Amino acid sequence: MNNKLGNEVKEMYFKQFDIDCTNGDTLIAYTFTLQLKKIILTHFNLFKSYFQTQFETMDNLNKLRREEAHNRTISDLDLKNLQELHEKLLSKVLIDLPSFQSVFLTENWRIKIKKIFNERQYRLINSELEINNESDLEKKLIKIKENLTSLISYLNDTLIKLRSVTVPIHKKDLHDELIFCYERQKELQESLFEQTLTLNNEKINSIVNEIRLHEIKMNEFSSKILLSES
């Protein structure tokens, strides 16, 4: 820090604690957002990989900080914007500084994901053999509908749980991909349920093929997540 900026921060620290401090690791926690901006701009070659544009991120952060600092109402949109700023900046920092990753948060995320899938594993209400052996068309249709209703409920419940998990920044892409897999599976099963009611065999077969292809993708993703988190 230059002398002027350094003296401002030291003075701020002295006013709060009535103690002189020259330790930069301590003083950095007592800088204002715009003072941080000056420091980073002065040494921008060290920080440019973290900012796509010249400090739009820091300026937006300061606007949000100003509202909170003056005890004004923080809206849900403000919190959402703050979360996005935090994720964008931290995700870039973690690429260069993986030691910043929270071991606790990562392990907690893994434990919760395992718990979601181990606590309730989906089982068919009516086996495929039962359905295939059912000669009464109406009863057969009822059994198929029961299976689909149960599966859709299971997928919906799983999605609710997955969305409730706190995700470490560096696992966000993986977690989003996991949610997408289950969202897509739920959409396909809902489409199959709708077409089952219409008895449109051509459309039903088309959706069944889509489901099979998606299940292959989900299996591939499962292998990827198991390898990366083992």
Side-chain angles (χ1 to χ4, degrees), residues 149-160:
T149 302
S150 172
L151 178 55
I152 291 166
S153 175
Y154 165 78
L155 292 170
N156 191 55
D157 184 52
T158 302
L159 281 165
I160 290 169

Side-chain angles (χ1 to χ4, degrees), residues 8-30:
E8 286 175 1
V9 178
K10 289 173 188 174
E11 186 179 346
M12 175 64 67
Y13 187 91
F14 183 81
K15 282 180 180 178
Q16 288 193 49
F17 301 103
D18 200 26
I19 298 172
D20 287 320
C21 178
T22 58
N23 186 318
D25 289 340
T26 300
L27 292 173
I28 196 69
Y30 294 88

Side-chain angles (χ1 to χ4, degrees), residues 74-97:
I74 303 295
S75 69
D76 288 340
L77 181 59
D78 289 333
L79 290 174
K80 183 174 181 292
N81 289 338
L82 185 60
Q83 180 71 20
E84 288 176 358
L85 286 172
H86 174 257
E87 289 180 1
K88 283 179 183 176
L89 181 57
L90 193 55
S91 63
K92 292 176 184 177
V93 171
L94 288 175
I95 292 171
D96 288 346
L97 301 169

Side-chain angles (χ1 to χ4, degrees), residues 103-119:
V103 174
F104 170 77
L105 276 179
T106 303
E107 192 55 33
N108 188 54
W109 172 76
R110 288 189 184 121
I111 290 169
K112 288 190 174 180
I113 295 296
K114 287 178 184 176
K115 187 178 179 183
I116 288 170
F117 293 110
N118 289 334
E119 260 185 356

Side-chain angles (χ1 to χ4, degrees), residues 154-215:
Y154 165 78
L155 292 170
N156 191 55
D157 184 52
T158 302
L159 281 165
I160 290 169
K161 289 176 180 176
L162 286 173
R163 292 187 185 112
S164 71
V165 174
T166 300
V167 185
I169 298 296
H170 57 291
K171 296 296 180 184
K172 189 173 184 303
D173 288 345
L174 192 64
H175 193 81
D176 286 346
E177 190 176 351
L178 177 61
I179 287 176
F180 171 77
C181 282
Y182 277 84
E183 283 176 336
R184 181 60 182 151
Q185 190 182 20
K186 180 172 171 263
E187 287 171 7
L188 289 169
Q189 296 296 342
E190 286 171 339
S191 296
L192 182 59
F193 182 85
E194 289 171 9
Q195 294 304 321
T196 300
L197 300 179
T198 68
L199 298 177
N200 184 334
N201 287 331
E202 185 179 346
K203 188 66 177 174
I204 288 171
N205 290 333
S206 174
I207 295 172
V208 168
N209 286 333
E210 282 191 75
I211 289 172
R212 284 174 182 157
L213 288 172
H214 185 65
E215 285 174 348

Side-chain angles (χ1 to χ4, degrees), residues 67 99 152:
E67 295 302 298
S99 61
I152 291 166

